[in-house]
Amino acid sequence: DQRGGVATLIAPRWALTVAHVARDTPQGHAVTIAGQSYVVARVILHPDWGTSRMDMALLQLDRPVEAVVPIPPYEQDGETGQVVTLVGRGDTGTGLTGPVTRDQRLRAATNRVERIEGDMLVFRFDAPTDENVTPLEGISGPGDSGGPALIQTADGLRLAGLSVAQSGRPKGTYGVWEFYTRVSPQLTWVREVVPPSGE
């Protein structure tokens, strides 16, 4: 993505994002987390990237992040019907206009998981009068690739999905369908790569 993308810290030295962003992130690339600069030490694309819709990657940082509490992956099933929080810095607009501004301010929106399609969580951008609209209804914008879909659990926020694509209508308009890579089915791979210490 020419505007960059988003990654979510899941362990002190590890962040999860989508492969179509990570493939263009070179080792040695500087990232800023809570005002501190870190360097991407390793980029690990999911082994099924390129042969399936599995759009996921891990980024290892040069040192642990101390000022931010990581958000662990969601470990359960049953995302359908749950309200999630979407976070990103991508382009913004309204459901009537689609993306119109590019100020890169961090924003959050809510949406409801409509269904699961294989390894994807599927959302619909509902208009204010639609039956399933959420209080802060929204979707991701250009530049939000890899951005998180967070589910509130009894143990705190958990990372359930990563922003991938939209289809069905003009991007960012009411009625468009949005697809997020589902995290929980890939926990075996994540745990094979990320050591238990998170270092």
Side-chain angles (χ1 to χ4, degrees):
D1 191 309
Q2 293 180 346
R3 294 186 193 97
V6 181
T8 302
L9 194 70
I10 62 168
R13 284 186 65 189
W14 292 89
L16 198 58
T17 188
V18 289
H20 78 262
V21 167
R23 69 179 176 202
D24 298 324
T25 304
Q27 291 182 6
H29 179 74
V31 296
T32 301
I33 303 172
Q36 299 292 316
S37 183
Y38 297 84
V39 172
V40 175
R42 289 171 56 198
V43 176
I44 303 171
L45 304 180
H46 191 284
D48 293 337
W49 165 246
T51 61
S52 73
R53 294 194 331 171
M54 182 41 55
D55 198 347
M56 185 178 284
L58 283 159
L59 305 177
Q60 184 182 30
L61 304 175
D62 62 325
R63 66 187 194 282
V65 175
E66 298 178 358
V68 176
V69 176
I71 298 176
Y74 187 67
E75 298 185 11
Q76 303 170 32
D77 291 323
E79 297 96 329
T80 301
Q82 293 202 52
V83 173
V84 299
T85 300
L86 313 175
V87 181
R89 295 181 182 273
D91 298 358
T92 62
T94 71
L96 299 174
T97 65
V100 293
T101 62
R102 188 185 295 177
D103 61 13
Q104 296 190 337
R105 289 179 54 198
L106 186 65
R107 291 182 173 87
T110 59
N111 207 311
R112 189 181 313 276
V113 180
E114 191 84 18
R115 64 183 183 275
I116 295 171
E117 286 185 8
D119 290 320
M120 293 287 171
L121 300 176
V122 183
F123 307 95
R124 182 180 184 272
F125 189 14
D126 293 316
T129 56
D130 289 343
E131 179 181 355
N132 287 323
V133 69
T134 61
L136 295 173
E137 184 79 14
I139 53 172
S140 64
D144 283 335
S145 291
L150 304 173
I151 289 181
Q152 184 67 52
T153 72
D155 298 317
L157 288 173
R158 294 294 182 263
L159 176 61
L162 305 167
S163 176
V164 175
Q166 295 176 16
S167 72
R169 295 182 61 94
K171 289 184 178 181
T173 59
Y174 292 133
V176 73
W177 292 98
E178 182 155 39
F179 298 85
Y180 274 55
T181 298
R182 190 173 173 223
V183 172
S184 60
Q186 304 307 319
L187 289 178
T188 299
W189 172 70
V190 170
R191 289 168 177 158
E192 286 173 353
V193 177
V194 178
S197 67
E199 301 286 328

